[in-house]
Amino acid sequence: MENTTIKYDFKEYVKSQFEKLQSTLNGSVGSELNLLRKNAFDKFFLSGLPTLKSENWKYTNLAFLNKLSFTDSYSNVDLSKLETSKLFYNSLKSHKIYLINGKLDENLSSNFNSVNGLKIEYFENISINGVGDYANYYGKLTSMSEHPFANINTALADNLLVVNISPGVIIEDILQIININISNEGALLTNPRILVISGKSSSAKIVENNYTLGDFPVVRNLVKEFYLEENAHLNYYKIQDDSNNSHLFDFTHAEQKRDSHLDEAAISINGKFVRNDLRSTLDGENIESHYYGIFIVGANDFVDNHTFVDHAKPNSYSNENYRGVAFDKGTGVFNGKIMVRRDAQKTNAYQSNKNVLLSDSATINTKPELEIYADDVKCSHGATSGSIDKTSMFYLRQRGIEKKVAERLLLFAFVNEVVNEIKIEQLRELIDLRIEEKLLNI
Amino acid sequence: MAEEVKDNDQLLIEELANQEYKYGFVTDIEQEYAPKGLNEDIIRFISAKKNEPEFMLNWRLKAYKFWLNMKDPLWAKVNFPQIDYQDSYYYAAPKKQGNKQTLEDVDPEILKTYEKLGIPLTEQKRLQGIAVDAVMDSVSVATTFKDKLSEMGIIFCPISEAVHSHPDLVEKYLGSVVPMTDNYYAALNSAVFSDGSFVYIPKGVRCPMELSTYFRINAQSTGQFERTLIIADEGSYVSYLEGCTAPMRDENQLHAAVVELVAHKNAEIKYSTVQNWYPGDKDGKGGIYNFVTKRGICEGDNSKISWTQVETGSSITWKYPSCVLKGDNSVGEFYSVAMTNNLQQADTGTKMIHLGKNTRSRIVSKGISAGKSDNSYRGLVNITKNADNARNFSQCDSLLLGDKCGAHTFPYLEIKNKSATVEHEATTSKISEDIIFYLNQRGIATEDAIALIVNGYAKEVLNQLPMEFAVEAQKLLAISLEGSVG
């Protein structure tokens, strides 16, 4: 028999999933939420999967999606065999929320009743049951953008996790969201959906981890919406350190009100494919926003960070700092855009993207963009790509340090400057351990 | 106090907006047109008019067929209504031409036009040693210093003439850097181009004077499609200048030119442009659509191509002078000042394609936006897999004068070689009130202070221009800048 790769049609698979969901609805077909879903599906289906010709996907090859045969039946997961203590970042002292294949697992998750001012809410079968009081938030930000994967998520997501931090509450403990995908029966597409609401003058720190367990590839299409009310503080750290058969689409859109402060980090250490879309609307004055990212990409892996910072009002500050290391046949992409609208006078917006390329088979594509319509602003971006500094190397070699060790030392220091911005010491230590391990492959 | 300054500024901006475009006059001469519209017959007409050899006609027709199947590029950050390509003349020429052996044969009206533009064609009156090829609408009307140059083996003539006198060179190099299929406007140009300059510098010759082409659109409802081809053979050097103006009209006229540069081993080409097409009035009515494809190839080792441009005119600019660094150790440079005012739109930048080893490129782009204009830098630095030790440095600064304009930066960096060092920097800011206050305090009027600051800002680029051009460019900037502070 001829041995050819079978071609599947991802778009048709999404369609079949959508139709399957719709057929279970009965009475609620016309509900507002369902209209949102239908709308999102139509938008996706009309334009289909983006190709390399599309400006936002110029460097992102999605052909792998049509090579995966997805299975629908992933319900029979035996959780008793799951040893959560073996999950690397689980030693972090935190309150834990487990999402298994997109669904909340209450047995594994911590009991949040003890945490004052924190509401963890979970909605199942939202196409039938709705999202309660969160209808005004759900999908408001995602529907603003024509993002194909956000649209897929809106069309297919059937569960919703809400993290609601009450006004005036400062939560000292760390909250950890753990996404686990178990793919024992075939390739898996999951659409987890998270909503974070930071009430007025509240403060919280959230860490997100992703794990793929099982032998089949997983495509995790994660969508998050953050609402930061006046003077809210939110630190959200996503650690993308997953298995070699994991594919991640992460779409995060934050809306910030005046005086609020957001710290967002994307730490991409391992995984076959990562595409991060970070958008943020600075809808008020005196906002501070920091975005950090590192990636270490080797093998045949791919990491893509797209950011879009939208300064809509005056007197705000944003700063992006992304660093990447590409080795072997790895590809790293950075596309950062700063938009300063006409009214956003006195904006300060900075962006920096530095990369190290370690092999001629590796690729770095970077595109830092500025789109500025206000005159009284200070905006800058810088992007560099190079190899390991020869003088630093010489200095270390002179002191009898082996070449490989010296290289690792310098690379570690290079990415560590960004890791150091993470405000949780224990998390920094865990990340450092993993980075050191990853750098052994270089 | 700040309020007061602002009021003053407002007045100055208005004054600027009302400023007349200096070169907006029309020369009243008899013109010969091809029928309106674009089809194969028109292309045959142009080719026949130029008495072209067979290969040229075939080449044009092939380009036309490609063009028919292409779509306008829509990715640039500019807005304009769909162009009706049938509503324009593709050939217009001053009627009285005679044979252009001596200047006495040139229509005195045309000589007067160039005199008015500050480009004297009568050689004895000239002080500067610049050889000029003057192109009006579709034809070259005069070329100066031809004989003196030919003594050294330098060929400097209208491309329509080169097709006859040096068909081998034209056939070999035409379309070798910008293929006819390159993009929509390049294909259109390949089909209908009527004239332009041709330069060939033989081996080891250093061109003793600046070569220059002055483009003038005069006729109504015409497009100008000129084509420039410059070949610098081994070890040669040439510095080439290009200037352009057009009358003030309410209609938009299309200017779709193609410039190709070829630098062989150890050769150097320096190409400078002061682009001052009619930018349209303050309501954005009229003006030239300047859709130009410029590209140079550093074919041989140690060659160098340097682009310098001062862009102040055109209602829309779509232009990316590029360098293909093929030879080892070759160098590409791009220096640009782009100034937009009123409703002008500019989307300009460069491409540096590193193919050879030890290739270096440098990009310095200074954007200045005023009024309600939009000014974008769009550039690509591509380090290919085999381009060992490639080096690039890019700096893109934008200055905003006024709160209704936009300044944008879209740099693309694509790196596939580990030994490459690529650096990109961009900033956007306005002229700080502190600096103006400092200069005011020392008795310098706000207007002069701004001119001083902007000149300093653009100096890095202006310094690259040959002296005569630098003076013109400085004046142009000053005219466009007076009082437009935010």
Side-chain angles (χ1 to χ4, degrees):
Chain A
M1 231 181 86
E2 247 185 306
N3 191 8
T4 49
T5 334
I6 309 163
K7 277 258 186 179
Y8 299 93
D9 191 335
F10 181 74
K11 193 175 152 185
E12 285 301 320
Y13 176 71
V14 171
K15 188 179 175 204
S16 70
Q17 290 300 98
F18 180 71
E19 279 166 356
K20 203 167 128 195
L21 263 170
Q22 290 293 310
S23 68
T24 62
L25 289 184
N26 299 327
S28 54
V29 180
S31 74
E32 212 165 301
L33 188 74
N34 204 45
L35 285 178
L36 187 79
R37 299 162 71 96
K38 256 192 161 151
N39 202 354
F41 173 76
D42 289 344
K43 273 189 197 160
F44 161 73
F45 199 74
L46 197 72
S47 46
L49 273 184
T51 65
L52 300 178
K53 281 186 180 157
S54 152
E55 186 62 27
N56 280 327
W57 301 84
K58 193 173 150 72
Y59 302 116
T60 317
N61 193 337
L62 298 174
F64 71 90
L65 286 172
N66 286 326
K67 288 181 189 142
L68 297 174
S69 160
F70 291 102
T71 170
D72 304 352
S73 56
Y74 46 83
S75 46
N76 319 319
V77 173
D78 186 4
L79 290 176
S80 61
K81 284 190 187 143
L82 186 68
E83 293 174 273
T84 51
S85 60
K86 284 202 173 156
L87 301 174
F88 185 77
Y89 295 93
N90 263 29
S91 56
L92 187 68
K93 229 177 130 257
S94 65
H95 297 285
K96 294 179 170 58
I97 304 170
Y98 286 89
L99 290 177
I100 314 284
N101 286 347
K103 289 186 177 161
L104 179 79
D105 191 284
E106 289 187 41
N107 296 327
L108 291 171
S109 302
S110 317
N111 182 2
F112 287 94
N113 294 336
S114 57
V115 187
N116 254 340
L118 177 67
K119 264 196 281 181
I120 302 293
E121 293 187 71
Y122 177 66
F123 297 87
E124 236 171 18
N125 298 326
I126 54 171
S127 42
I128 296 172
N129 303 329
V131 292
D133 297 338
Y134 300 104
N136 288 337
Y137 294 99
Y138 186 85
K140 187 183 126 189
L141 296 175
T142 49
S143 58
M144 271 162 55
S145 42
E146 302 289 320
H147 194 279
F149 288 88
N151 280 335
I152 293 175
N153 182 293
T154 305
L156 299 183
D158 211 24
N159 308 305
L160 169 69
L161 176 75
V162 181
V163 177
N164 189 347
I165 304 132
S166 307
V169 174
I170 290 166
I171 298 171
E172 298 287 352
D173 297 345
I174 295 152
L175 195 62
Q176 196 175 7
I177 298 174
I178 301 160
N179 274 307
I180 296 178
N181 287 106
I182 304 173
S183 55
N184 288 331
E185 290 154 56
L188 205 61
L189 168 71
T190 61
N191 295 284
R193 182 103 180 187
I194 298 168
L195 181 61
V196 178
I197 296 170
S198 288
K200 197 173 167 181
S201 303
S202 69
S203 170
K205 291 190 184 81
I206 302 176
V207 176
E208 176 197 302
N209 294 107
N210 299 312
Y211 299 98
T212 295
L213 311 171
D215 307 322
F216 292 94
V218 162
V219 176
R220 185 184 293 108
N221 182 25
L222 180 59
V223 168
K224 283 165 279 185
E225 289 170 282
F226 298 166
Y227 293 87
L228 279 76
E229 301 298 337
E230 279 174 36
N231 198 31
H233 261 242
L234 177 66
N235 293 25
Y236 197 100
Y237 303 123
K238 46 194 190 206
I239 316 301
Q240 300 167 337
D241 187 7
D242 204 344
S243 73
N244 292 327
N245 58 355
S246 67
H247 306 79
L248 172 67
F249 292 90
D250 181 296
F251 179 93
T252 307
H253 193 152
E255 185 187 84
Q256 287 185 257
K257 295 292 179 205
R258 59 170 300 168
D259 303 319
S260 62
H261 182 127
L262 174 68
D263 256 33
E264 215 268 4
I267 308 295
S268 311
I269 299 174
N270 202 33
K272 181 99 203 98
F273 173 99
V274 175
R275 160 83 180 210
N276 287 315
D277 276 278
L278 172 65
R279 295 176 189 214
S280 117
T281 311
L282 276 54
D283 187 22
E285 295 197 28
N286 198 27
I287 290 169
E288 219 179 301
S289 253
H290 297 263
Y291 314 95
Y292 305 106
I294 64 162
F295 63 80
I296 303 172
V297 63
N300 248 317
D301 299 348
F302 176 89
V303 178
D304 178 355
N305 277 297
H306 268 62
T307 68
F308 176 41
V309 182
D310 187 352
H311 283 266
K313 298 272 164 70
N315 293 316
S316 285
Y317 172 92
S318 72
N319 192 2
E320 277 180 79
N321 190 358
Y322 278 76
R323 291 196 173 192
V325 176
F327 64 100
D328 223 345
K329 290 182 186 136
T331 300
V333 178
F334 175 78
N335 185 340
K337 182 168 179 173
I338 299 174
M339 164 87 103
V340 179
R341 300 204 187 255
R342 194 129 285 163
D343 299 331
Q345 296 290 1
K346 307 261 179 219
T347 288
N348 285 353
Y350 305 100
Q351 191 185 72
S352 157
N353 172 230
K354 294 184 179 172
N355 301 291
V356 174
L357 201 58
L358 295 172
S359 111
D360 287 348
S361 316
T363 305
I364 294 281
N365 294 317
T366 165
K367 187 183 164 211
E369 290 175 56
L370 296 174
E371 202 171 328
I372 293 163
Y373 296 95
D375 62 333
D376 193 3
V377 299
K378 280 190 194 124
C379 297
S380 72
H381 67 212
T384 61
S385 172
S387 46
I388 294 173
D389 181 37
K390 287 196 182 83
T391 45
S392 311
M393 213 39 203
F394 180 69
Y395 179 91
L396 292 172
R397 295 300 305 281
Q398 236 185 353
R399 275 143 189 85
I401 296 169
E402 211 183 310
K403 187 167 175 245
K404 280 276 161 197
V405 178
E407 249 177 41
R408 275 179 222 136
L409 207 62
L410 289 170
L411 290 171
F412 184 81
F414 173 72
V415 292
N416 212 254
E417 259 182 57
V418 175
V419 177
N420 275 340
E421 302 289 348
I422 292 175
K423 306 281 188 307
I424 304 168
E425 195 189 344
Q426 202 199 347
L427 181 63
R428 281 202 304 268
E429 284 165 6
L430 289 170
I431 291 169
D432 284 348
L433 281 175
R434 283 291 296 146
I435 289 175
E436 275 173 38
E437 218 173 290
K438 178 86 180 186
L439 288 177
L440 287 176
N441 298 323
I442 285 167
Chain B
M1 205 217 84
E3 291 270 307
E4 199 181 305
V5 169
K6 214 151 205 176
D7 279 350
N8 252 334
D9 296 344
Q10 210 52 51
L11 282 174
L12 289 169
I13 289 169
E14 273 164 32
E15 204 180 292
L16 158 72
N18 296 331
Q19 200 139 26
E20 291 275 310
Y21 177 68
K22 227 170 97 188
Y23 308 105
F25 61 90
V26 181
T27 311
D28 192 14
I29 44 168
E30 262 189 284
Q31 294 263 9
E32 185 185 10
Y33 291 97
K36 225 177 200 178
L38 181 57
N39 52 49
E40 279 197 17
D41 290 341
I42 293 289
I43 291 164
R44 284 175 203 283
F45 174 89
I46 294 169
S47 189
K49 202 82 207 159
K50 302 266 165 197
N51 209 0
E52 284 177 350
E54 187 78 17
F55 81 88
M56 278 305 304
L57 177 64
N58 291 338
W59 196 75
R60 286 172 183 276
L61 290 172
K62 209 170 140 197
Y64 177 66
K65 280 194 190 107
F66 270 116
W67 180 75
L68 284 178
N69 291 319
M70 290 171 105
K71 284 201 178 98
D72 323 32
L74 295 173
W75 40 262
K77 217 185 145 33
V78 293
N79 284 309
F80 58 93
Q82 181 82 34
I83 298 171
D84 181 0
Y85 290 94
Q86 297 306 332
D87 192 33
S88 180
Y89 295 105
Y90 287 84
Y91 183 83
K95 225 171 193 172
K96 272 193 254 168
Q97 276 194 64
N99 78 13
K100 297 173 297 183
Q101 287 313 307
T102 60
L103 278 164
E104 280 88 68
D105 297 330
V106 178
D107 189 337
E109 276 297 318
I110 294 175
L111 287 181
K112 247 190 251 166
T113 303
Y114 281 90
E115 206 79 50
K116 235 166 144 180
L117 295 168
I119 317 288
L121 295 174
T122 39
E123 286 171 27
Q124 62 272 31
K125 284 188 194 161
R126 302 173 54 84
L127 295 169
Q128 318 102 302
I130 302 178
V132 181
D133 182 20
V135 177
M136 186 180 273
D137 295 325
S138 301
V139 294
S140 165
V141 290
T143 311
T144 60
F145 287 109
K146 241 160 124 182
D147 299 339
K148 195 178 167 202
L149 290 169
S150 67
E151 276 168 28
M152 304 183 73
I154 296 170
I155 306 166
F156 178 45
C157 64
I159 201 158
S160 56
E161 199 181 307
V163 167
H164 296 290
S165 53
H166 306 282
D168 49 327
L169 285 174
V170 174
E171 195 169 6
K172 183 174 170 194
Y173 289 106
L174 191 69
S176 69
V177 188
V178 181
M180 61 171 80
T181 51
D182 192 76
N183 67 67
Y184 191 75
Y185 303 115
L188 178 64
N189 175 288
S190 302
V192 302
F193 80 89
S194 41
D195 223 329
S197 301
F198 176 82
V199 178
Y200 174 81
I201 315 288
K203 272 184 194 169
V205 171
R206 199 181 159 85
C207 187
M209 59 181 86
E210 315 271 355
L211 303 185
S212 158
T213 304
Y214 199 89
F215 295 107
R216 171 81 181 163
I217 295 180
N218 188 51
Q220 199 156 6
S221 307
T222 54
Q224 187 168 28
F225 306 92
E226 87 271 354
R227 190 140 188 141
T228 303
L229 177 57
I230 300 176
I231 302 141
D233 218 326
E234 276 184 39
S236 64
Y237 168 86
V238 61
S239 167
Y240 186 89
L241 322 170
E242 179 198 277
C244 25
T245 55
M248 285 161 73
R249 291 216 174 86
D250 283 352
E251 57 171 9
N252 292 110
Q253 284 177 289
L254 179 64
H255 171 250
V258 172
V259 175
E260 296 176 280
L261 312 183
V262 181
H264 287 287
K265 205 173 158 187
N266 298 324
E268 183 179 345
I269 301 175
K270 194 172 156 65
Y271 194 105
S272 315
T273 309
V274 172
Q275 186 262 103
N276 188 24
W277 294 115
Y278 176 54
D281 67 6
K282 63 179 193 302
D283 303 318
K285 215 170 175 195
I288 304 290
Y289 290 163
N290 190 33
F291 301 157
V292 176
T293 309
K294 291 184 170 179
R295 192 176 304 151
I297 182 163
C298 287
E299 184 74 49
D301 296 352
N302 312 317
S303 53
K304 180 176 175 185
I305 288 178
S306 172
W307 297 98
T308 306
Q309 60 173 25
V310 176
E311 303 278 318
T312 57
S314 296
S315 76
I316 299 175
T317 302
W318 180 97
K319 179 178 171 189
Y320 315 91
S322 312
C323 295
V324 180
L325 303 170
K326 192 174 162 198
D328 290 350
N329 314 318
S330 57
V331 178
E333 289 178 338
F334 175 75
Y335 296 95
S336 166
V337 173
M339 157 98 206
T340 54
N341 201 349
N342 296 325
L343 284 160
Q344 275 177 280
Q345 306 173 62
D347 193 303
T348 182
T350 184
K351 284 191 210 173
M352 293 291 172
I353 320 272
H354 292 254
L355 302 173
K357 295 183 179 24
N358 308 316
T359 45
R360 279 168 295 153
S361 62
R362 182 180 168 86
I363 299 169
V364 177
S365 165
K366 306 270 179 182
I368 303 159
S369 332
K372 291 177 185 158
S373 67
D374 262 308
N375 197 336
S376 311
Y377 166 83
R378 188 183 301 275
L380 166 73
V381 175
N382 186 352
I383 312 277
T384 56
K385 215 168 171 170
N386 299 319
D388 291 343
N389 299 317
R391 183 80 176 85
N392 161 266
F393 174 77
S394 318
Q395 190 184 339
C396 308
D397 295 331
S398 305
L399 198 60
L400 288 152
L401 310 172
D403 54 5
K404 289 188 180 65
C405 48
H408 321 298
T409 325
F410 307 98
Y412 296 71
L413 314 178
E414 302 180 3
I415 299 128
K416 291 200 165 62
N417 185 300
K418 67 172 176 188
S419 58
T421 307
V422 176
E423 290 168 281
H424 173 93
E425 265 178 24
T427 61
T428 303
S429 55
K430 68 166 198 165
I431 296 176
S432 98
E433 277 164 27
D434 296 353
I435 299 175
I436 294 184
F437 179 66
Y438 178 91
L439 291 169
N440 281 164
Q441 241 186 348
R442 275 143 188 85
I444 298 168
T446 306
E447 194 173 310
D448 297 336
I450 292 156
L452 210 60
I453 294 160
V454 169
N455 251 316
Y457 170 77
K459 196 155 198 161
E460 212 179 332
V461 174
L462 297 181
N463 277 349
Q464 300 295 326
L465 289 170
M467 198 188 58
E468 298 80 3
F469 250 36
V471 174
E472 190 186 337
Q474 258 179 19
K475 265 194 254 162
L476 261 178
L477 277 183
I479 287 170
S480 312
L481 278 169
E482 273 168 8
S484 45
V485 72

